[in-house]
Amino acid sequence: MEVILKEDVNKLGHRGDVVKVADGYGRNYLLPEKLAIEATLANKAVIEQMKASAVRKSAKEKTGAEQLATQLSEVELVFERKVGENEHLFGSVTSGDIAQQLEAKGFTIDRRKISLEEPLKTIGEYHVPVKLHREVTSHVKVTVKGDQPEAEAVTTTA
């Protein structure tokens, strides 16, 4: 099935591209979510207009993303988690946790835009990339702490 993308889709293409996808993926995901339209002759005639507006929209989004990137670079998030041996966390800090705390600070960012290779499972300081636009990536400082101070080893003298 050939479709025309109305929005950028990760690992598929950018707005205005004509791509060939599996029938089920197109019918069950791209079309209902309004991420694409079928590539018919009538719709192909509209592609040029879409591409022109996509360039304008992309430029506007990029400007907004750059402003947001400068604000996000100053944000520092702190997470407290239970800690086991070797400063290994019982839970982990995921992209969903980061998105939730960013939202609490007034930034609405989809968790899928937070590029964590895998959840953070150890105590430390991390710089987590946030892809705001295909050309704009910001970094958020994330600090993971233990929820209790390290317990001193109790020694008993006989």
Side-chain angles (χ1 to χ4, degrees), residues 6-42:
K6 292 172 73 177
E7 297 292 330
D8 292 348
V9 179
N10 277 347
K11 299 179 184 165
L12 187 59
H14 301 295
R15 192 178 309 149
D17 290 350
V18 178
V19 293
K20 196 171 195 79
V21 296
D23 290 347
Y25 184 58
R27 262 195 316 275
N28 298 327
Y29 177 67
L30 295 175
L31 297 177
E33 295 291 324
K34 300 199 184 331
L35 297 173
I37 55 175
E38 276 192 75
T40 62
L41 289 175

Side-chain angles (χ1 to χ4, degrees), residues 6 27 36 43 46 63 66-67 69 73 99 108-109 111 113-114 119 121 125-126 130 141 157:
K6 292 172 73 177
R27 262 195 316 275
N43 288 340
V46 176
T63 305
E66 287 171 343
Q67 291 172 349
S73 63
T108 305
I109 296 183
R111 69 174 175 77
K113 293 185 178 189
I114 298 170
K121 295 182 179 181
E125 194 172 287
Y126 303 91
V130 179
K141 185 177 176 183
T157 53

